[in-house]
Amino acid sequence: MKSTIEKLTPTLTDIFRHLHEHPEISWEEYETTQYIKNLFEEYACRVSTFKNSTGLVVEVGQGKPVVGLRADIDALWQEVNGTFQGNHSCGHDSHMTIAIGSLLTLLEGGHPDNGTFRFIFQPAEEKGNGALTLVEEGIIDDVDFLYGMHLRPIQELQHEQFAPAIQHGAARFLEGTIRGEDAHGARPHLNANAIQVGSEFFQHINSIHIDPMIPHSVKMTSFQAGGKNANIIPGSATFSLDLRAQTNEAMDDLMAKVERISNMLADYHEVKVDLKMSANVAAAVINDEASSIMREAIIECVGEEKLEPMITTTGGDDFHFYTIKRPNVKATMLAIGCNLQPGLHHPDMTFNHDAIPPAVEIVTDALIKTVKKYNQA
């Protein structure tokens, strides 16, 4: 396998460069989908796209088990050097490259005869609803094992360190509106100042307390009110909230408290305060058998000295909806150390690209081990 990956490395470098230079945001990954599809047209594999969605699935092999590898394909929309643009600052360009490299390794280096390898190139992870859309497409209804991967910041893993699982937390993004009437600046008694309502909302969410043993946070991440006239007291505003919790149960607790704050402020100030969930990412549900196979693959491919324990992070990933919606699927994610800094989602994020070939080897070995273990059982 190493010799195949070494031969493929220059090709993977070109693939990564193309994907990095052509980022597309969630649900708009049209060129990315077509580019990946074109890569495999000449190979003996099955390529499927979706009628109502970007993304694609590529399969090789046949029969049971069905072992999946998922890569997210969307980029973030953020300001880079003063310009808003698509940007792969979460490492999805590398995730795609690793999955493509694994598939090419199986196609060119050979794979077990019994078993189906399903490569899932999923859109809209950054929106938190890409996985749910593909679940509705039925792509994992017959999947036995599912693997994913994610680059980790330098604070969690150093270059050439790998962990067999990522214990992501839950995340919810809320869009809020405050609806009231404007008033003249000389008559503050005639309305509720939306800025004051928002300020009180901010103060109350910072006073939320749940079990301190469970990492959690609630932040107001945007607030807009008022206009160009300084003598108008705004009655309406919009805002957004970012909720994080390490468990799904703690997230439900946080959400209930935020909703009570919203209702209390609306009642007290006699305004309408509405909350709408724009994204909901579940906390990880990790399978011991899948993570054990990934652990074996790490040891065999790069050595036990580069194996690290499961990573626990308050970050989220919609990958975990696959196992929540289909509990029969055994899943885990490979954590990849690559000296990533200054951090995920930073517009100038960089990482050591030399981490890509060993990651390809590890996930490919995990796929093959899974099929062999299944057929031996």
Side-chain angles (χ1 to χ4, degrees), residues 157 162-168 284 286 288 291 307-313 332-333 335:
L157 288 178
F162 298 88
I166 305 174
Q167 184 64 61
H168 279 108
I286 298 168
D288 290 341
S291 60
L307 171 69
E308 294 294 319
M310 177 182 71
I311 297 297
T312 298
T313 174
T332 193
M333 298 184 78

Side-chain angles (χ1 to χ4, degrees), residues 133-206:
T133 299
L134 296 198
V135 168
E136 293 172 0
E137 292 280 353
I139 66 163
I140 63 162
D141 287 353
D142 60 343
V143 169
D144 299 287
F145 288 81
L146 180 65
Y147 298 105
M149 81 287 286
H150 208 299
L151 304 185
R152 304 315 305 161
I154 195 170
Q155 296 87 349
E156 293 180 1
L157 288 178
Q158 303 290 317
H159 181 56
E160 297 187 328
Q161 292 180 328
F162 298 88
I166 305 174
Q167 184 64 61
H168 279 108
R172 290 184 186 176
F173 309 140
L174 306 181
E175 301 299 327
T177 57
I178 301 168
R179 294 192 180 95
E181 299 295 331
D182 290 351
H184 193 288
R187 301 174 180 85
H189 61 292
L190 295 181
N191 83 333
N193 189 333
I195 297 174
Q196 180 179 338
V197 179
S199 177
E200 291 178 14
F201 208 127
F202 177 86
Q203 292 173 336
H204 281 294
I205 63 175
N206 284 330

Side-chain angles (χ1 to χ4, degrees), residues 92-338:
H92 294 184
D93 44 4
S94 64
H95 301 168
M96 287 185 278
T97 304
I98 291 165
I100 291 168
S102 178
L103 178 52
L104 288 173
T105 300
L106 291 176
L107 289 168
E108 297 193 6
H111 55 82
D113 295 329
N114 297 323
T116 301
F117 299 95
R118 181 172 298 164
F119 290 79
I120 302 166
F121 295 93
Q122 178 211 301
E125 187 277 329
E126 296 295 352
K127 289 291 186 182
N129 53 10
L132 288 171
T133 299
L134 296 198
V135 168
E136 293 172 0
E137 292 280 353
I139 66 163
I140 63 162
D141 287 353
D142 60 343
V143 169
D144 299 287
F145 288 81
L146 180 65
Y147 298 105
M149 81 287 286
H150 208 299
L151 304 185
R152 304 315 305 161
I154 195 170
Q155 296 87 349
E156 293 180 1
L157 288 178
Q158 303 290 317
H159 181 56
E160 297 187 328
Q161 292 180 328
F162 298 88
I166 305 174
Q167 184 64 61
H168 279 108
R172 290 184 186 176
F173 309 140
L174 306 181
E175 301 299 327
T177 57
I178 301 168
R179 294 192 180 95
E181 299 295 331
D182 290 351
H184 193 288
R187 301 174 180 85
H189 61 292
L190 295 181
N191 83 333
N193 189 333
I195 297 174
Q196 180 179 338
V197 179
S199 177
E200 291 178 14
F201 208 127
F202 177 86
Q203 292 173 336
H204 281 294
I205 63 175
N206 284 330
S207 299
I208 290 176
H209 296 289
I210 64 172
D211 186 347
M213 298 301 292
I214 303 174
H216 62 276
S217 68
V218 185
K219 293 85 60 184
M220 184 173 286
T221 53
S222 70
F223 189 88
Q224 295 84 33
K228 294 183 178 180
N229 294 97
N231 63 342
I232 295 177
I233 302 172
S236 299
T238 61
F239 61 94
S240 59
L241 300 176
D242 178 301
L243 283 66
R244 306 274 172 168
Q246 202 58 50
T247 68
N248 293 315
E249 294 76 13
M251 175 57 75
D252 290 339
D253 195 5
L254 279 183
M255 186 68 188
K257 292 181 183 296
V258 169
E259 289 175 335
R260 284 199 292 272
I261 291 170
S262 174
N263 294 333
M264 178 269 293
L265 290 173
D267 181 63
Y268 179 77
H269 289 285
E270 298 181 334
V271 296
K272 291 183 178 180
V273 181
D274 297 318
L275 297 176
K276 179 182 179 181
M277 192 181 307
S278 61
N280 177 22
V281 179
V285 179
I286 298 168
N287 178 263
D288 290 341
E289 186 177 357
S291 60
S292 177
I293 293 173
M294 187 64 74
R295 183 180 186 276
E296 292 177 17
I298 293 171
I299 293 173
E300 183 167 319
C301 294
V302 297
E304 191 165 4
E305 68 277 5
K306 296 180 181 178
L307 171 69
E308 294 294 319
M310 177 182 71
I311 297 297
T312 298
T313 174
T314 52
D317 196 299
D318 76 346
F319 174 85
H320 307 295
F321 277 125
Y322 290 116
T323 49
I324 288 175
K325 295 298 183 180
R326 298 292 184 270
N328 58 298
V329 177
K330 301 175 180 179
T332 193
M333 298 184 78
L334 173 69
I336 302 168
C338 53

Side-chain angles (χ1 to χ4, degrees), residues 16-59:
F16 173 84
R17 183 180 299 112
H18 174 89
L19 294 170
H20 181 76
E21 294 175 353
H22 297 82
E24 295 180 297
I25 61 175
S26 302
W27 299 124
E28 297 182 18
E29 310 95 331
Y30 302 108
E31 194 275 340
T32 302
T33 299
Q34 188 61 48
Y35 175 77
I36 297 173
K37 180 182 178 182
N38 292 344
L39 289 175
F40 296 101
E41 286 185 340
E42 63 184 67
Y43 289 95
C45 56
R46 303 177 295 280
V47 181
S48 303
T49 54
F50 304 105
K51 182 178 180 180
N52 299 313
S53 168
T54 47
L56 70 158
V57 173
V58 185
E59 284 188 350

